Amino acid sequence: MKFPRAVRRLLLGYLIIHLLTAGFFVFVLTGIVRNQMIRDARSKMEAMASMLVEHVEELPAGNKDASLPAYLIRLGEETEMRFTLITAEGIVVADSVTGTQDIGPHGTREEILVAKKEGVGFSQRYSATLNQPMMYLARRYEPTNANHAGGFVRVAVPSDSISSAIGDIQKYVWLFAIALSALTALLMAVFSARSMQPLDLFSQAARRIGVGQYDSIPQVHHRDDEWGELGEAFQQMQSELTRREERLVENSQRLEAVLSSMIEGVLAIEPTGEVMLANGAACRMLGLTHSELVGRKLLEIVRIPELSSAVEKTQIQRTFSKTEFKTITTPKLAGPQRTLKARVSILANQDKPGVAIVLHDVTELRQLETMRRDFVANVSHELKTPLSSIKAYAETLRLGALHDDEKNLQFVEQIEFQAEMLNRQIQDLLQLARVESGQTTFAMTDVAINQVCQTCYEQFSEIASERNLDLKLELSEPGPISRSDRPSIETIVKNLVVNAIHYTPKQGSVTISTACEEDWAVITVADTGIGIAPEQQSRVFERFYRVDKARSRDMGGTGLGLAIVKHLAQAHGGSVQLKSQLGKGSQFQVRLPRV
Ligand code: ADP
C-alpha cells in the first residue's frame, strides 16, 4: 500500500507523541512502584527491627550478650537481611555479616543520626562495607537497667532487588508500549491511507486543471464526508471553469470574426513593441503574413518613419495620434503603392503603454481627390481654349476687322465654330457627369442594334464620302436585340463612327458591323486609320485624353467621346474593348447584354 506523504508525516508525529507519552507513564509508574516497594521494605525492616529490639531487651546481658553475633548471623541468613547492633555511642557491637569484627564507628551514619533524633531513621545509600547500594533502617532503643544500655538496631537490605524489579517492570512496560505503538501506528496507517486515498486523485486532478484539462475531475462516489464535499466542489469548479472557458472562446471567436470582417486594419502592440494582434486587413495592407507580424517588433519589420514617430508620440504623451504614409512596395505587396492612414491610441494604463493602431486604406480616396483636382484643371483648361479664341476674334472685329469685308465673315464663322465647340464640350461634360453619377434615367426597351447602326450609317455616309472614305455596314442576321436605352446606344455608335471618320485618312474605310456572341450583342466599328500606340490604348478612355491634341481640336473633338462610350456601356452592364495597331487602324468593340 502506498502511503501519501501527509499520512507518513502524521504517523511519524503520532509515533513520537506515543513514545513520549509511554516514556512519561513508565517514569511515573516506576516512581509509584519504587515508592511502594520501598515502603513495603521499610515496614518489613521496621518489624524486624522491633523484633530484634525486643529480643535484645529480653537478653540478660543486653546487647553485650555473647549469643548475639551468632543470632544475628542466623537471622541474617534466614531473612537475607543485614542486622547490626550499635551502641548509643555509635560503636558496632555485632553485625550479621561481619560478626564482631570491628567495622569502625557508625554513629555518623545518616540513619543513625536521624534515629537518634526521631527514634527511627531511614536512608538509602552505598555501603562502603558491602560495596553495594543498600537501604538502612535504624531504630533507637532506650536503656532499661545497668545491663541494658541503650543503642541502635539497624536493619539493612540491598536496594538491588528493588532496582532490578523496577528495571524488569520498566522493560515490560516499554515492550508493551512499543508493541502498542507499532500496532496502533499500523492500524492508523491503514485507516488513514484508506481515508486519504482520494487526496492523490484530487492532487492529480488539480494538476490537470492547472494545464487546462477540465474533463478529468475525480469521481468520489458514495462518500458523505469532507471528500464527498470536496468532490462536489470540484464538480462545480469544473462546470464553472468549462462555462468560463466556453465563454472566453466564444468571445475571442466573436472578436476574431469582427476583426477579420473589418475593412480597417487593426494592430495591437505590446509595451515592448511586439505585435500581439493583427487582423487580416492589417496583414494585407502591410503586405505581410500573420506569422510574420505577430510576436515580432512592428517597427523592425515595418520600417515606416511616420508610423514609428506616431507610436512613440502616443506612448509618451498618452494621447492618440494620426498619421498618413505610403506603403513600401515589397515582393508580396504587389501593385501600386497604397496610402494608409493610421490612428494610434493607448492600449493600457502602464508606464510605457501598449498601443492600438487602426489602419485605413485611403488610396482610392486620395486618387479620387487627385482626379477631381485634375478634372477641374482640365475642364477649366478645355473651356478656356475656345473662349480665348472667341475673345480674340471678337477683339479683332472690334478693332477694325468688322469693316474688312474679306475677313469679317470668316471671323464670325470662327466665333460660331468655337461657340459650338464650347457648347458641345459642355453638353458632353453634362452627359458624362449624369451617367457617372447614376442620375440618368434610362428608358430601357428592346433595342434592335441593327436598326441603330443602320440609322447611324445613313447619317454619316455622306460625310464619309465627302472625306473620300468608304463607310461600310455589315449587319448580322438575325440582328442582336439588346435591352437598353436607345438614345444611349445611338450615342455610343455615333461617337465611335465620328472618331473613326476623324482619324482615318482619305481612301480609307470605316466598317460598322453587328454580331451575336452568346449573351452579348456586339457592335464593332473598325477603321483603317492612324491607329493608337499600345501605351496609349488604355488611356484614350480617360476624360480629355487625346493622343494628338491639335488634330482632335481641328476635328472639333471634345476629348470626352470615348469616356462617354465607356461609361454608357458600363451603365448598361456591358463593356468596350479596343484593338489597334499604330498606322494600320483601330477596332472598337462594344458588348451589350443581349435579350
Ligand atoms: P476626341 O473628341 O478627341 O476624339 P475621344 O474621347 O473621342 O476624344 O477620343 C480620345 C482620343 O482617342 C482622340 O483624341 C484620339 O487621339 C484617339 N482616338 C479615338 N478614336 C480613334 C480612332 N478611331 N483612331 C485613332 N485614334 C482614335
Side-chain angles (χ1 to χ4, degrees):
M1 191 183 289
K2 195 181 160 222
F3 296 119
R5 219 177 308 156
V7 171
R8 273 182 270 159
R9 278 211 200 111
L10 197 74
L11 279 181
L12 187 68
Y14 168 77
L15 270 176
I16 291 170
I17 292 170
H18 203 273
L19 291 177
L20 282 174
T21 316
F24 176 72
F25 271 108
V26 168
F27 178 75
V28 171
L29 193 68
T30 51
I32 293 168
V33 172
R34 184 192 295 276
N35 287 343
Q36 189 56 46
M37 286 175 90
I38 290 172
R39 264 201 302 278
D40 288 352
R42 186 177 164 161
S43 47
K44 231 187 241 176
M45 286 159 83
E46 268 181 12
M48 292 307 289
S50 301
M51 190 203 82
L52 193 58
V53 167
E54 274 173 30
H55 180 76
V56 172
E57 281 174 347
E58 279 169 10
L59 289 174
N63 59 11
K64 291 189 184 80
D65 202 283
S67 66
L68 261 179
Y71 177 76
L72 286 186
I73 289 168
R74 203 179 62 246
L75 196 63
E77 280 168 0
E78 279 171 10
T79 58
E80 291 185 353
M81 290 182 178
R82 183 185 170 194
F83 298 98
T84 314
L85 276 177
I86 302 161
T87 64
E89 293 78 32
I91 308 296
V92 175
V93 180
D95 186 88
S96 63
V97 176
T98 56
T100 52
Q101 189 191 332
D102 184 14
I103 51 170
H106 271 50
T108 56
R109 297 291 195 270
E110 189 189 337
E111 66 278 5
I112 302 295
L113 290 173
V114 177
K116 205 183 267 181
K117 262 196 219 161
E118 297 172 8
V120 178
F122 182 81
S123 77
Q124 289 182 68
R125 57 185 171 76
Y126 193 81
S127 163
T129 316
L130 301 178
N131 280 332
Q132 62 173 342
M134 299 289 284
M135 286 187 292
Y136 295 96
L137 184 120
R139 183 160 178 196
R140 181 165 55 103
Y141 64 93
E142 302 302 327
T144 48
N145 54 48
N147 285 340
H148 286 81
F152 299 96
V153 168
R154 193 182 73 169
V155 183
V157 288
S159 312
D160 283 356
S161 57
I162 291 180
S163 298
S164 71
I166 296 289
D168 284 348
I169 291 170
Q170 278 181 336
K171 198 164 71 191
Y172 290 123
V173 173
W174 269 119
L175 272 175
F176 176 74
I178 289 169
L180 190 69
S181 301
L183 186 70
T184 50
L186 190 74
L187 287 174
M188 229 180 105
V190 171
F191 287 128
S192 8
R194 190 164 293 174
S195 70
M196 297 289 261
Q197 215 173 10
L199 183 69
D200 201 30
L201 284 175
F202 279 106
S203 76
Q204 281 175 21
R207 236 172 270 141
R208 280 196 295 270
I209 290 171
V211 293
Q213 293 176 355
Y214 307 132
D215 53 340
S216 47
I217 299 301
Q219 301 289 326
V220 188
H221 296 298
H222 316 303
R223 289 194 78 136
D224 53 358
D225 55 4
E226 286 75 7
W227 288 121
E229 283 171 23
L230 190 61
E232 266 171 39
F234 258 74
Q235 304 270 357
Q236 272 175 10
M237 184 170 72
Q238 175 202 25
S239 48
E240 181 62 22
L241 282 174
T242 316
R243 200 170 59 81
R244 285 187 187 199
E245 196 191 17
E246 278 170 4
R247 218 167 34 194
L248 270 178
V249 170
E250 208 175 283
N251 281 351
S252 80
Q253 279 173 348
R254 218 175 286 163
L255 180 72
E256 219 165 275
V258 169
L259 283 175
S260 59
S261 64
M262 277 174 76
I263 308 165
E264 291 86 5
V266 179
L267 291 163
I269 314 292
E270 304 249 30
T272 48
E274 279 152 17
V275 179
M276 68 169 127
L277 184 145
N279 70 347
C283 296
R284 276 193 299 281
M285 285 179 195
L286 297 171
L288 293 161
T289 62
H290 191 262
S291 55
E292 280 171 334
L293 257 176
V294 175
R296 298 182 57 192
K297 294 214 167 181
L298 177 75
L299 304 179
E300 279 174 17
I301 31 174
V302 183
R303 292 176 185 279
I304 293 164
E306 294 94 330
L307 190 60
S308 308
S309 52
V311 168
E312 217 165 280
K313 187 179 159 200
T314 306
Q315 281 180 330
I316 294 168
Q317 297 183 355
R318 286 169 175 275
T319 170
F320 79 91
S321 50
K322 285 183 197 169
T323 185
E324 197 170 306
F325 59 89
K326 281 194 169 18
T327 56
I328 297 165
T329 324
T330 62
K332 267 181 229 148
L333 198 62
Q337 256 191 342
R338 319 271 328 154
T339 308
L340 302 183
K341 200 167 151 183
R343 190 183 191 280
V344 188
S345 53
I346 290 284
L347 200 58
N349 200 12
Q350 294 161 3
D351 284 351
K352 197 185 178 200
V355 292
I357 303 174
V358 179
L359 298 171
H360 297 265
D361 191 339
V362 289
T363 317
E364 267 87 41
L365 192 72
R366 296 290 174 263
Q367 275 173 356
L368 276 175
E369 281 171 3
T370 317
M371 269 168 67
R372 194 177 44 122
R373 269 197 304 274
D374 291 353
F375 179 70
V376 172
N378 278 337
V379 170
S380 327
H381 179 73
E382 291 293 332
L383 298 183
K384 230 167 71 187
T385 315
L387 267 177
S388 309
S389 302
I390 292 170
K391 204 176 155 208
Y393 285 121
E395 233 173 55
T396 319
L397 284 173
R398 182 171 54 82
L399 292 175
L402 192 64
H403 306 292
D404 183 342
D405 290 339
E406 276 180 31
K407 299 254 175 78
N408 55 6
L409 194 63
Q410 194 191 338
F411 286 176
V412 171
E413 276 171 2
Q414 275 303 322
I415 290 174
E416 213 179 340
F417 174 76
Q418 296 297 340
E420 175 54 28
M421 176 93 170
L422 204 58
N423 181 43
R424 239 183 295 154
Q425 263 178 344
I426 290 167
Q427 291 303 324
D428 280 1
L429 267 175
L430 285 174
Q431 187 175 19
L432 193 63
R434 274 199 300 268
V435 176
E436 263 190 321
S437 66
Q439 281 175 359
T440 318
T441 40
F442 295 120
M444 302 300 266
T445 51
D446 288 349
V447 178
I449 300 297
N450 281 358
Q451 237 178 50
V452 177
C453 292
Q454 177 79 42
T455 314
C456 189
Y457 170 77
E458 284 161 9
Q459 192 182 344
F460 287 99
S461 55
E462 207 181 310
I463 299 167
S465 60
E466 275 171 17
R467 295 191 184 211
N468 261 339
L469 293 174
D470 182 12
L471 182 65
K472 294 188 248 183
L473 183 69
E474 290 171 7
L475 301 175
S476 72
E477 279 309 331
I481 307 288
S482 170
R483 183 100 191 136
S484 46
D485 175 53
R486 190 181 172 109
S488 301
I489 309 305
E490 282 170 358
T491 308
I492 289 174
V493 181
K494 193 189 100 189
N495 283 4
L496 292 177
V497 173
V498 168
N499 276 352
I501 293 171
H502 280 169
Y503 301 107
T504 306
K506 284 178 183 168
Q507 314 303 333
S509 71
V510 174
T511 312
I512 308 167
S513 58
T514 59
C516 297
E517 218 175 68
E518 293 171 356
D519 295 338
W520 302 106
V522 185
I523 307 167
T524 310
V525 179
D527 63 58
T528 55
I530 57 172
I532 304 164
E535 65 275 11
Q536 318 260 19
Q537 286 178 15
S538 62
R539 301 207 61 194
V540 290
F541 295 98
E542 289 175 18
R543 295 179 201 86
F544 299 118
Y545 186 83
R546 299 167 170 111
V547 178
D548 182 343
K549 277 199 171 93
R551 184 175 183 145
S552 164
R553 283 217 180 87
D554 288 348
M555 300 288 181
T558 59
L560 296 168
L562 286 182
I564 292 172
V565 169
K566 188 177 110 180
H567 280 98
L568 280 176
Q570 283 175 352
H572 280 81
S575 62
V576 58
Q577 261 185 353
L578 164 64
K579 283 182 199 157
S580 182
Q581 252 187 315
L582 200 59
K584 290 200 170 161
S586 312
Q587 189 196 66
F588 289 88
Q589 213 162 49
V590 178
R591 279 184 170 70
L592 296 167
R594 201 176 135 210
V595 175

